[in-house]
Amino acid sequence: MSPKRQQQIKVETDELHYDYALSQIRRHIGFTQMEVARRLGISQPTYAEYEHGNNMRIKTLQKIVSALGGKLSVYVVIGNGIYDLKMPSSK
């Protein structure tokens, strides 16, 4: 990744708030737990456990973000380097 792109990502990520819980994101975009659970093919109580859990698998998080209409991106920051971690397909 070019230094210019790294700086652009840094500026963009500095503007983000990292303390959003999954439930806050879901509510912000207008979904209920039941709607997301239906999209995932699971029960609402199971989805609620995902929102309140603190040890979720990346694959599960990818599926939830996809059900919300998004794409999960993971960046690794080491020193001044920002690395876009390639994620496996969520399907």
Side-chain angles (χ1 to χ4, degrees):
M1 188 179 313
S2 74
K4 182 177 179 181
R5 178 67 179 135
Q6 287 180 7
Q7 182 58 32
Q8 180 184 9
I9 290 171
K10 182 174 180 353
V11 169
E12 290 171 3
T13 56
D14 285 348
E15 295 172 358
L16 296 175
H17 299 279
Y18 291 105
D19 294 334
Y20 281 108
L22 194 54
S23 61
Q24 291 171 305
I25 295 169
R26 175 187 49 77
R27 285 191 300 267
H28 178 75
I29 62 174
F31 282 93
T32 65
Q33 285 186 340
M34 184 62 81
E35 289 169 322
V36 177
R38 273 194 219 119
R39 287 174 174 233
L40 294 169
I42 60 175
S43 70
Q44 180 274 328
T46 298
Y47 178 75
E49 287 179 27
Y50 289 154
E51 280 194 0
H52 296 103
N54 57 7
N55 190 17
M56 188 184 316
R57 293 180 177 197
I58 293 283
K59 190 75 167 171
T60 301
L61 183 57
Q62 273 185 301
K63 289 178 181 179
I64 292 169
V65 170
S66 180
L68 293 171
K71 177 183 176 255
L72 181 65
S73 295
V74 177
Y75 295 94
V76 177
V77 179
I78 300 173
N80 291 329
I82 301 172
Y83 307 90
D84 184 2
L85 189 61
K86 300 259 186 254
M87 301 296 291
S89 173
S90 63
K91 294 182 173 142

Coordinates of all heavy atoms in Angstrom, one line a residue:
M1 N 0.9 -1.2 0.0 CA 0.0 0.0 0.0 C 0.9 1.2 0.0 O 1.9 1.3 0.8 CB -0.9 0.0 1.2 CG -2.0 1.0 1.2 SD -3.1 1.0 2.7 CE -3.5 -0.7 2.8
S2 N 0.6 2.2 -0.8 CA 1.4 3.4 -1.0 C 1.3 4.2 0.3 O 0.3 4.2 1.0 CB 0.9 4.2 -2.2 OG -0.3 4.9 -1.9
P3 N 2.4 5.0 0.6 CA 2.3 5.9 1.7 C 1.2 6.9 1.7 O 0.6 7.2 2.7 CB 3.7 6.6 1.7 CG 4.6 5.7 0.9 CD 3.7 5.0 -0.1
K4 N 0.8 7.3 0.5 CA -0.3 8.3 0.3 C -1.6 7.6 0.7 O -2.4 8.2 1.5 CB -0.4 8.8 -1.1 CG -1.5 9.8 -1.3 CD -1.5 10.3 -2.8 CE -2.6 11.3 -3.0 NZ -2.7 11.7 -4.4
R5 N -1.8 6.3 0.3 CA -3.0 5.6 0.7 C -3.0 5.3 2.2 O -4.1 5.4 2.8 CB -3.1 4.3 -0.1 CG -4.3 3.4 0.2 CD -5.6 4.1 -0.2 NE -6.7 3.2 0.2 CZ -7.8 3.6 0.8 NH1 -8.0 4.9 1.0 NH2 -8.8 2.8 1.1
Q6 N -1.9 5.0 2.8 CA -1.8 4.8 4.2 C -2.2 6.0 5.0 O -3.0 5.9 5.9 CB -0.4 4.3 4.6 CG 0.0 3.0 4.2 CD 1.4 2.6 4.6 OE1 2.1 3.3 5.3 NE2 1.8 1.4 4.1
Q7 N -1.7 7.2 4.5 CA -2.1 8.4 5.2 C -3.6 8.7 5.0 O -4.3 9.1 6.0 CB -1.3 9.6 4.6 CG -1.6 10.9 5.3 CD -1.4 10.9 6.8 OE1 -0.5 10.2 7.3 NE2 -2.2 11.7 7.5
Q8 N -4.1 8.4 3.9 CA -5.6 8.6 3.6 C -6.4 7.7 4.6 O -7.4 8.2 5.2 CB -5.9 8.3 2.2 CG -7.4 8.5 1.9 CD -7.7 8.0 0.4 OE1 -6.9 7.5 -0.3 NE2 -8.9 8.3 0.0
I9 N -6.0 6.5 4.7 CA -6.7 5.5 5.6 C -6.6 6.0 7.1 O -7.5 6.0 7.8 CB -6.2 4.1 5.5 CG1 -6.6 3.5 4.1 CG2 -6.6 3.2 6.6 CD1 -5.9 2.2 3.8
K10 N -5.4 6.5 7.4 CA -5.2 7.0 8.8 C -6.1 8.2 9.1 O -6.8 8.2 10.1 CB -3.8 7.4 9.0 CG -3.5 7.9 10.5 CD -2.1 8.1 10.7 CE -1.8 8.6 12.1 NZ -2.9 8.9 13.0
V11 N -6.2 9.1 8.1 CA -7.1 10.2 8.3 C -8.6 9.8 8.4 O -9.3 10.2 9.3 CB -7.0 11.2 7.1 CG1 -8.1 12.3 7.2 CG2 -5.6 11.9 7.2
E12 N -9.0 8.8 7.6 CA -10.4 8.3 7.6 C -10.6 7.6 8.9 O -11.7 7.8 9.5 CB -10.6 7.4 6.4 CG -10.7 8.1 5.1 CD -10.7 7.2 3.9 OE1 -10.7 6.0 4.1 OE2 -10.7 7.7 2.8
T13 N -9.7 6.8 9.4 CA -9.9 6.0 10.6 C -9.9 6.9 11.8 O -10.5 6.6 12.8 CB -9.0 4.8 10.7 OG1 -7.6 5.3 10.6 CG2 -9.2 3.8 9.6
D14 N -9.1 7.9 11.8 CA -9.0 8.8 12.9 C -10.4 9.5 13.1 O -10.7 9.9 14.2 CB -7.9 9.9 12.7 CG -6.5 9.4 13.0 OD1 -6.4 8.2 13.5 OD2 -5.6 10.1 12.6
E15 N -11.2 9.6 12.1 CA -12.5 10.3 12.2 C -13.5 9.3 12.7 O -14.6 9.7 13.0 CB -12.9 10.8 10.8 CG -12.0 11.9 10.3 CD -12.3 12.4 8.9 OE1 -13.1 11.8 8.3 OE2 -11.6 13.3 8.5
L16 N -13.3 8.0 12.7 CA -14.2 7.0 13.1 C -14.3 6.9 14.7 O -13.3 7.3 15.3 CB -13.9 5.7 12.6 CG -14.0 5.5 11.1 CD1 -13.5 4.1 10.7 CD2 -15.3 5.7 10.5
H17 N -15.4 6.5 15.2 CA -15.5 6.2 16.6 C -15.4 4.7 16.8 O -16.3 4.0 16.3 CB -16.8 6.8 17.1 CG -17.0 8.2 17.0 ND1 -16.4 9.1 17.9 CD2 -17.6 9.0 16.1 CE1 -16.7 10.4 17.5 NE2 -17.4 10.3 16.4
Y18 N -14.5 4.2 17.5 CA -14.2 2.8 17.6 C -15.1 2.2 18.7 O -15.1 1.0 18.8 CB -12.8 2.5 17.9 CG -11.9 2.9 16.7 CD1 -11.1 4.0 16.7 CD2 -11.9 2.0 15.6 CE1 -10.3 4.3 15.6 CE2 -11.1 2.3 14.5 CZ -10.3 3.5 14.5 OH -9.5 3.7 13.4
D19 N -15.8 2.9 19.5 CA -16.5 2.4 20.6 C -17.9 2.0 20.3 O -18.8 2.0 21.2 CB -16.4 3.4 21.8 CG -15.0 3.5 22.3 OD1 -14.2 2.6 22.1 OD2 -14.7 4.6 22.9
Y20 N -18.3 1.8 19.1 CA -19.6 1.4 18.7 C -19.8 -0.1 19.0 O -19.1 -0.9 18.5 CB -19.9 1.7 17.2 CG -20.3 3.1 16.9 CD1 -19.3 3.9 16.2 CD2 -21.5 3.6 17.3 CE1 -19.6 5.2 15.9 CE2 -21.7 5.0 17.0 CZ -20.8 5.7 16.3 OH -21.1 7.0 16.0
A21 N -20.9 -0.4 19.7 CA -21.2 -1.8 19.9 C -22.1 -2.2 18.7 O -22.7 -1.3 18.1 CB -22.1 -1.9 21.2
L22 N -22.1 -3.5 18.5 CA -22.8 -4.0 17.3 C -24.3 -3.6 17.4 O -24.9 -3.2 16.4 CB -22.7 -5.5 17.3 CG -23.1 -6.3 16.1 CD1 -22.4 -5.7 14.8 CD2 -22.8 -7.7 16.2
S23 N -24.8 -3.6 18.6 CA -26.2 -3.2 18.8 C -26.5 -1.7 18.4 O -27.5 -1.4 17.9 CB -26.7 -3.4 20.3 OG -25.9 -2.6 21.2
Q24 N -25.5 -0.9 18.7 CA -25.7 0.6 18.4 C -25.7 0.7 16.8 O -26.4 1.5 16.3 CB -24.5 1.4 19.0 CG -24.6 1.5 20.5 CD -23.4 2.2 21.0 OE1 -22.3 1.7 20.8 NE2 -23.6 3.2 21.8
I25 N -24.8 0.0 16.2 CA -24.7 0.1 14.7 C -26.1 -0.4 14.1 O -26.6 0.2 13.2 CB -23.6 -0.8 14.2 CG1 -22.2 -0.1 14.6 CG2 -23.6 -0.9 12.6 CD1 -21.0 -1.0 14.4
R26 N -26.5 -1.6 14.6 CA -27.8 -2.1 14.1 C -28.9 -1.2 14.3 O -29.7 -0.9 13.4 CB -28.1 -3.5 14.9 CG -29.5 -4.0 14.5 CD -29.9 -5.2 15.4 NE -29.7 -5.0 16.8 CZ -30.6 -4.3 17.6 NH1 -31.6 -3.7 17.1 NH2 -30.3 -4.2 18.9
R27 N -29.1 -0.6 15.5 CA -30.2 0.4 15.7 C -30.0 1.6 14.8 O -31.0 2.2 14.3 CB -30.2 0.8 17.2 CG -30.8 -0.3 18.1 CD -31.1 0.1 19.5 NE -29.9 0.6 20.2 CZ -29.2 -0.1 21.0 NH1 -29.5 -1.4 21.2 NH2 -28.1 0.4 21.6
H28 N -28.8 2.1 14.7 CA -28.5 3.3 13.9 C -29.0 3.2 12.5 O -29.5 4.1 11.9 CB -27.0 3.6 13.9 CG -26.6 4.8 13.1 ND1 -26.9 6.1 13.5 CD2 -26.1 4.9 11.9 CE1 -26.5 7.0 12.6 NE2 -26.0 6.3 11.6
I29 N -28.8 2.0 11.9 CA -29.2 1.8 10.5 C -30.7 1.3 10.4 O -31.2 1.0 9.3 CB -28.3 0.9 9.7 CG1 -28.2 -0.5 10.3 CG2 -26.9 1.5 9.6 CD1 -27.4 -1.5 9.5
G30 N -31.3 1.1 11.5 CA -32.8 0.9 11.5 C -33.2 -0.6 11.5 O -34.3 -0.9 11.1
F31 N -32.4 -1.5 12.0 CA -32.8 -2.9 12.0 C -33.1 -3.3 13.5 O -32.5 -2.8 14.4 CB -31.6 -3.8 11.6 CG -31.4 -3.9 10.1 CD1 -30.5 -3.0 9.5 CD2 -32.1 -4.8 9.3 CE1 -30.3 -3.1 8.1 CE2 -31.9 -4.9 8.0 CZ -31.0 -4.0 7.4
T32 N -34.0 -4.3 13.6 CA -34.3 -4.9 14.9 C -33.5 -6.2 15.0 O -33.0 -6.7 14.0 CB -35.8 -5.3 15.0 OG1 -36.1 -6.3 14.0 CG2 -36.7 -4.1 14.8
Q33 N -33.4 -6.7 16.2 CA -32.6 -8.0 16.3 C -33.3 -9.1 15.5 O -32.7 -9.9 14.9 CB -32.6 -8.4 17.8 CG -31.6 -7.6 18.6 CD -31.5 -8.1 20.0 OE1 -32.4 -8.8 20.5 NE2 -30.4 -7.8 20.7
M34 N -34.6 -9.0 15.5 CA -35.4 -10.1 14.8 C -35.1 -10.0 13.3 O -34.9 -11.0 12.6 CB -36.9 -9.9 15.0 CG -37.8 -11.0 14.3 SD -37.4 -12.6 14.9 CE -38.3 -12.6 16.4
E35 N -35.0 -8.8 12.7 CA -34.7 -8.7 11.3 C -33.4 -9.2 10.9 O -33.2 -9.9 9.9 CB -34.8 -7.2 10.9 CG -36.3 -6.7 10.9 CD -36.3 -5.1 10.7 OE1 -35.5 -4.4 11.3 OE2 -37.2 -4.7 10.0
V36 N -32.4 -8.9 11.7 CA -31.0 -9.4 11.5 C -31.0 -10.9 11.7 O -30.4 -11.6 10.8 CB -30.0 -8.7 12.4 CG1 -28.6 -9.3 12.1 CG2 -30.0 -7.2 12.2
A37 N -31.7 -11.4 12.7 CA -31.7 -12.9 12.9 C -32.3 -13.6 11.7 O -31.8 -14.6 11.3 CB -32.5 -13.2 14.2
R38 N -33.4 -13.0 11.2 CA -34.0 -13.7 10.0 C -33.1 -13.7 8.8 O -33.0 -14.7 8.1 CB -35.3 -12.9 9.6 CG -36.5 -13.4 10.3 CD -37.8 -12.8 9.7 NE -38.7 -12.5 10.8 CZ -39.2 -11.3 11.0 NH1 -38.9 -10.3 10.3 NH2 -40.0 -11.1 12.0
R39 N -32.3 -12.6 8.6 CA -31.4 -12.5 7.5 C -30.3 -13.6 7.7 O -29.7 -14.1 6.7 CB -30.8 -11.2 7.4 CG -31.7 -10.1 6.8 CD -31.1 -8.7 6.9 NE -32.0 -7.8 6.2 CZ -31.6 -7.0 5.3 NH1 -30.3 -7.0 4.9 NH2 -32.4 -6.1 4.7
L40 N -29.9 -13.9 8.9 CA -28.9 -14.8 9.2 C -29.4 -16.3 9.3 O -28.6 -17.2 9.3 CB -28.2 -14.5 10.5 CG -27.4 -13.2 10.6 CD1 -27.0 -12.8 12.0 CD2 -26.2 -13.3 9.7
G41 N -30.7 -16.4 9.4 CA -31.3 -17.7 9.5 C -31.1 -18.3 10.9 O -31.0 -19.5 11.0
I42 N -31.2 -17.5 11.9 CA -31.0 -17.9 13.3 C -32.1 -17.3 14.1 O -32.9 -16.4 13.6 CB -29.6 -17.5 13.9 CG1 -29.5 -16.0 13.9 CG2 -28.5 -18.2 13.1 CD1 -28.2 -15.5 14.6
S43 N -32.3 -17.7 15.3 CA -33.3 -17.2 16.2 C -32.9 -15.8 16.8 O -31.7 -15.5 16.8 CB -33.6 -18.1 17.4 OG -32.5 -18.2 18.3
Q44 N -33.9 -15.0 17.2 CA -33.6 -13.7 17.8 C -32.7 -13.9 19.1 O -31.8 -13.1 19.3 CB -34.9 -12.9 18.0 CG -34.7 -11.6 18.6 CD -34.6 -11.6 20.2 OE1 -35.2 -12.5 20.8 NE2 -33.8 -10.7 20.7
P45 N -33.1 -14.8 19.9 CA -32.2 -15.0 21.2 C -30.8 -15.3 20.8 O -29.9 -14.9 21.5 CB -32.9 -16.1 21.9 CG -34.4 -16.1 21.5 CD -34.3 -15.7 20.0
T46 N -30.6 -16.1 19.8 CA -29.2 -16.5 19.4 C -28.5 -15.2 18.9 O -27.3 -14.9 19.3 CB -29.2 -17.5 18.3 OG1 -29.7 -18.7 18.8 CG2 -27.7 -17.8 17.8
Y47 N -29.2 -14.4 18.1 CA -28.5 -13.1 17.7 C -28.3 -12.2 18.9 O -27.2 -11.6 18.9 CB -29.4 -12.4 16.6 CG -28.8 -11.1 16.2 CD1 -27.7 -11.1 15.4 CD2 -29.2 -9.9 16.8 CE1 -27.0 -9.9 15.1 CE2 -28.5 -8.7 16.5 CZ -27.4 -8.8 15.6 OH -26.8 -7.6 15.3
A48 N -29.2 -12.1 19.8 CA -29.0 -11.3 21.0 C -27.7 -11.7 21.8 O -27.0 -10.9 22.2 CB -30.2 -11.4 21.9
E49 N -27.5 -13.0 21.8 CA -26.2 -13.5 22.4 C -25.0 -13.0 21.7 O -24.0 -12.7 22.3 CB -26.2 -15.0 22.5 CG -27.2 -15.6 23.5 CD -27.2 -17.1 23.5 OE1 -26.1 -17.7 23.1 OE2 -28.2 -17.7 23.8
Y50 N -25.1 -13.0 20.4 CA -23.9 -12.4 19.6 C -23.7 -11.0 20.0 O -22.5 -10.6 20.1 CB -24.2 -12.5 18.1 CG -24.2 -13.9 17.5 CD1 -24.9 -14.2 16.4 CD2 -23.4 -14.9 18.1 CE1 -24.9 -15.5 15.8 CE2 -23.4 -16.2 17.5 CZ -24.1 -16.4 16.4 OH -24.1 -17.7 15.8
E51 N -24.8 -10.2 20.1 CA -24.6 -8.8 20.4 C -24.0 -8.5 21.8 O -23.3 -7.6 22.0 CB -25.9 -8.0 20.3 CG -26.3 -7.7 18.9 CD -27.5 -6.7 18.9 OE1 -28.0 -6.2 19.9 OE2 -27.8 -6.3 17.7
H52 N -24.3 -9.4 22.7 CA -23.8 -9.2 24.1 C -22.6 -10.0 24.4 O -22.0 -9.8 25.4 CB -24.9 -9.6 25.0 CG -26.1 -8.7 24.9 ND1 -27.3 -9.1 24.3 CD2 -26.3 -7.4 25.3 CE1 -28.1 -8.1 24.3 NE2 -27.6 -7.0 24.9
G53 N -22.2 -10.9 23.5 CA -21.0 -11.6 23.7 C -19.7 -10.8 23.5 O -19.7 -9.8 22.8
N54 N -18.6 -11.3 24.1 CA -17.4 -10.6 23.9 C -16.3 -11.5 23.3 O -15.1 -11.2 23.3 CB -16.9 -10.0 25.2 CG -16.7 -11.0 26.3 OD1 -16.8 -12.2 26.0 ND2 -16.5 -10.6 27.5
N55 N -16.7 -12.6 22.7 CA -15.8 -13.6 22.1 C -16.4 -14.2 20.9 O -16.5 -15.4 20.7 CB -15.4 -14.7 23.2 CG -14.3 -15.5 22.7 OD1 -13.5 -15.1 21.8 ND2 -14.1 -16.7 23.3
M56 N -16.7 -13.3 19.9 CA -17.3 -13.7 18.7 C -16.3 -14.1 17.6 O -15.2 -13.4 17.6 CB -18.2 -12.6 18.1 CG -19.0 -13.0 17.0 SD -20.0 -11.6 16.3 CE -20.6 -10.8 17.7
R57 N -16.5 -15.1 16.9 CA -15.7 -15.4 15.8 C -15.7 -14.4 14.7 O -16.8 -13.8 14.4 CB -16.0 -16.8 15.2 CG -15.8 -17.9 16.2 CD -16.2 -19.2 15.6 NE -15.9 -20.3 16.5 CZ -15.8 -21.5 16.2 NH1 -16.0 -21.9 14.9 NH2 -15.5 -22.4 17.1
I58 N -14.6 -14.2 14.0 CA -14.6 -13.2 12.9 C -15.6 -13.6 11.8 O -16.3 -12.8 11.2 CB -13.1 -13.1 12.3 CG1 -12.2 -12.6 13.3 CG2 -13.1 -12.4 11.0 CD1 -12.2 -11.1 13.4
K59 N -15.7 -14.9 11.5 CA -16.6 -15.4 10.5 C -18.1 -15.0 10.8 O -18.8 -14.6 10.0 CB -16.5 -16.9 10.3 CG -17.2 -17.4 9.1 CD -16.4 -17.1 7.9 CE -17.0 -17.9 6.7 NZ -16.4 -17.5 5.4
T60 N -18.4 -15.1 12.1 CA -19.8 -14.8 12.5 C -20.0 -13.3 12.4 O -21.0 -12.8 11.9 CB -20.0 -15.2 14.0 OG1 -19.8 -16.6 14.1 CG2 -21.4 -14.8 14.5
L61 N -19.0 -12.5 12.8 CA -19.1 -11.0 12.7 C -19.2 -10.6 11.2 O -20.0 -9.7 10.9 CB -17.9 -10.3 13.3 CG -17.9 -8.8 13.3 CD1 -19.1 -8.3 14.0 CD2 -16.6 -8.3 14.0
Q62 N -18.5 -11.3 10.3 CA -18.6 -11.0 8.9 C -20.0 -11.2 8.4 O -20.5 -10.4 7.6 CB -17.6 -11.9 8.1 CG -16.3 -11.4 7.9 CD -15.5 -12.4 7.0 OE1 -15.3 -13.6 7.3 NE2 -15.0 -11.9 5.9
K63 N -20.6 -12.3 8.8 CA -22.0 -12.7 8.4 C -23.0 -11.6 8.9 O -23.9 -11.2 8.2 CB -22.4 -14.1 8.9 CG -21.7 -15.2 8.1 CD -22.1 -16.5 8.7 CE -21.3 -17.6 8.0 NZ -21.7 -19.0 8.5
I64 N -22.8 -11.2 10.1 CA -23.7 -10.2 10.7 C -23.5 -8.8 9.9 O -24.5 -8.2 9.6 CB -23.4 -10.0 12.2 CG1 -23.8 -11.2 13.0 CG2 -24.1 -8.7 12.7 CD1 -23.4 -11.3 14.4
V65 N -22.3 -8.4 9.7 CA -22.1 -7.2 9.0 C -22.7 -7.3 7.6 O -23.3 -6.3 7.1 CB -20.6 -6.8 9.0 CG1 -20.3 -5.7 8.0 CG2 -20.1 -6.5 10.4
S66 N -22.5 -8.4 6.9 CA -23.1 -8.6 5.6 C -24.6 -8.5 5.7 O -25.2 -7.9 4.8 CB -22.6 -10.0 5.1 OG -23.2 -10.2 3.8
A67 N -25.2 -9.1 6.7 CA -26.7 -9.1 6.8 C -27.2 -7.7 7.1 O -28.3 -7.3 6.7 CB -27.1 -10.0 8.0
L68 N -26.3 -6.8 7.6 CA -26.7 -5.4 7.8 C -26.4 -4.6 6.6 O -26.7 -3.4 6.5 CB -25.9 -4.8 9.0 CG -26.2 -5.4 10.4 CD1 -25.2 -4.9 11.4 CD2 -27.6 -5.0 10.8
G69 N -25.9 -5.2 5.5 CA -25.6 -4.6 4.3 C -24.2 -4.0 4.1 O -24.0 -3.2 3.2
G70 N -23.3 -4.4 5.0 CA -22.0 -3.9 5.0 C -20.9 -4.9 4.6 O -21.2 -6.1 4.3
K71 N -19.7 -4.5 4.8 CA -18.5 -5.4 4.5 C -17.6 -5.1 5.7 O -17.2 -4.0 6.0 CB -17.9 -5.0 3.2 CG -16.6 -5.8 2.9 CD -16.0 -5.3 1.6 CE -14.7 -6.0 1.3 NZ -13.6 -5.2 1.6
L72 N -17.1 -6.2 6.3 CA -16.2 -6.1 7.4 C -14.8 -5.9 6.8 O -14.3 -6.6 5.9 CB -16.2 -7.4 8.2 CG -15.3 -7.4 9.4 CD1 -15.7 -6.4 10.4 CD2 -15.2 -8.8 10.0
S73 N -14.1 -4.9 7.3 CA -12.7 -4.6 7.0 C -11.9 -4.6 8.2 O -12.3 -4.1 9.2 CB -12.5 -3.3 6.3 OG -13.2 -3.3 5.0
V74 N -10.7 -5.2 8.2 CA -9.8 -5.3 9.3 C -8.5 -4.7 8.9 O -7.9 -5.1 7.9 CB -9.6 -6.7 9.8 CG1 -8.6 -6.7 11.0 CG2 -10.9 -7.3 10.2
Y75 N -8.0 -3.7 9.7 CA -6.8 -3.1 9.4 C -5.8 -3.3 10.6 O -6.3 -3.3 11.8 CB -6.9 -1.5 9.3 CG -7.7 -1.2 8.1 CD1 -9.1 -0.9 8.1 CD2 -7.1 -1.1 6.8 CE1 -9.8 -0.6 7.0 CE2 -7.8 -0.7 5.7 CZ -9.2 -0.5 5.8 OH -9.9 -0.2 4.7
V76 N -4.6 -3.7 10.3 CA -3.6 -3.9 11.3 C -2.7 -2.7 11.3 O -2.2 -2.3 10.2 CB -2.8 -5.2 11.0 CG1 -1.7 -5.4 12.0 CG2 -3.8 -6.4 11.0
V77 N -2.5 -2.1 12.5 CA -1.6 -1.0 12.6 C -0.3 -1.4 13.4 O -0.5 -1.8 14.5 CB -2.3 0.2 13.3 CG1 -1.3 1.4 13.4 CG2 -3.5 0.6 12.5
I78 N 0.8 -1.3 12.8 CA 2.1 -1.6 13.4 C 3.0 -0.5 13.2 O 3.4 -0.2 12.0 CB 2.7 -3.0 12.9 CG1 1.7 -4.1 13.2 CG2 4.0 -3.2 13.6 CD1 2.1 -5.4 12.6
G79 N 3.4 0.2 14.2 CA 4.2 1.4 14.1 C 3.5 2.4 13.2 O 2.4 2.8 13.4
N80 N 4.2 2.9 12.1 CA 3.5 3.8 11.2 C 2.9 3.1 10.0 O 2.3 3.7 9.1 CB 4.6 4.8 10.6 CG 5.1 5.7 11.7 OD1 4.3 6.1 12.6 ND2 6.3 6.1 11.6
G81 N 2.9 1.8 10.0 CA 2.3 1.0 8.9 C 0.9 0.6 9.1 O 0.5 0.3 10.3
I82 N 0.1 0.7 8.1 CA -1.3 0.3 8.2 C -1.5 -0.7 7.1 O -1.2 -0.5 5.9 CB -2.3 1.5 7.9 CG1 -2.1 2.6 8.9 CG2 -3.8 1.0 7.9 CD1 -2.8 3.9 8.6
Y83 N -2.0 -1.9 7.5 CA -2.1 -3.0 6.6 C -3.6 -3.5 6.5 O -4.2 -3.7 7.6 CB -1.2 -4.2 7.1 CG 0.2 -3.8 7.3 CD1 0.6 -3.3 8.6 CD2 1.1 -3.9 6.3 CE1 1.9 -2.9 8.8 CE2 2.4 -3.5 6.5 CZ 2.8 -3.0 7.7 OH 4.1 -2.6 7.9
D84 N -4.1 -3.6 5.3 CA -5.5 -4.1 5.1 C -5.4 -5.6 5.1 O -4.9 -6.2 4.2 CB -6.0 -3.5 3.8 CG -7.4 -3.9 3.5 OD1 -8.1 -4.5 4.3 OD2 -7.9 -3.5 2.4
L85 N -5.9 -6.2 6.2 CA -5.9 -7.6 6.3 C -7.0 -8.2 5.4 O -8.1 -7.9 5.4 CB -6.2 -8.0 7.7 CG -6.0 -9.5 8.1 CD1 -4.6 -9.9 7.9 CD2 -6.5 -9.7 9.6
K86 N -6.5 -9.1 4.5 CA -7.4 -9.8 3.5 C -8.3 -10.7 4.3 O -7.9 -11.6 5.1 CB -6.7 -10.6 2.5 CG -5.8 -9.7 1.7 CD -6.4 -9.4 0.3 CE -5.5 -8.6 -0.6 NZ -5.8 -7.2 -0.7
M87 N -9.6 -10.6 4.1 CA -10.6 -11.5 4.8 C -11.1 -12.5 3.8 O -11.4 -12.2 2.7 CB -11.8 -10.6 5.3 CG -11.3 -9.5 6.2 SD -10.6 -10.1 7.8 CE -12.0 -10.8 8.5
P88 N -11.4 -13.7 4.3 CA -12.0 -14.7 3.5 C -13.4 -14.3 3.1 O -14.0 -13.5 3.9 CB -12.0 -16.0 4.3 CG -11.8 -15.6 5.7 CD -11.1 -14.2 5.7
S89 N -14.0 -14.9 2.1 CA -15.4 -14.6 1.7 C -16.3 -14.9 2.8 O -16.1 -15.9 3.5 CB -15.7 -15.4 0.5 OG -17.1 -15.2 0.2
S90 N -17.3 -14.1 3.0 CA -18.3 -14.4 4.1 C -19.4 -15.4 3.8 O -20.3 -15.6 4.5 CB -18.9 -13.1 4.6 OG -19.6 -12.5 3.6
K91 N -19.3 -15.9 2.6 CA -20.4 -16.8 2.1 C -20.1 -18.2 2.5 O -19.1 -18.7 2.7 CB -20.6 -16.7 0.6 CG -21.1 -15.3 0.4 CD -21.4 -15.0 -1.1 CE -22.1 -13.7 -1.2 NZ -21.9 -12.8 -2.1

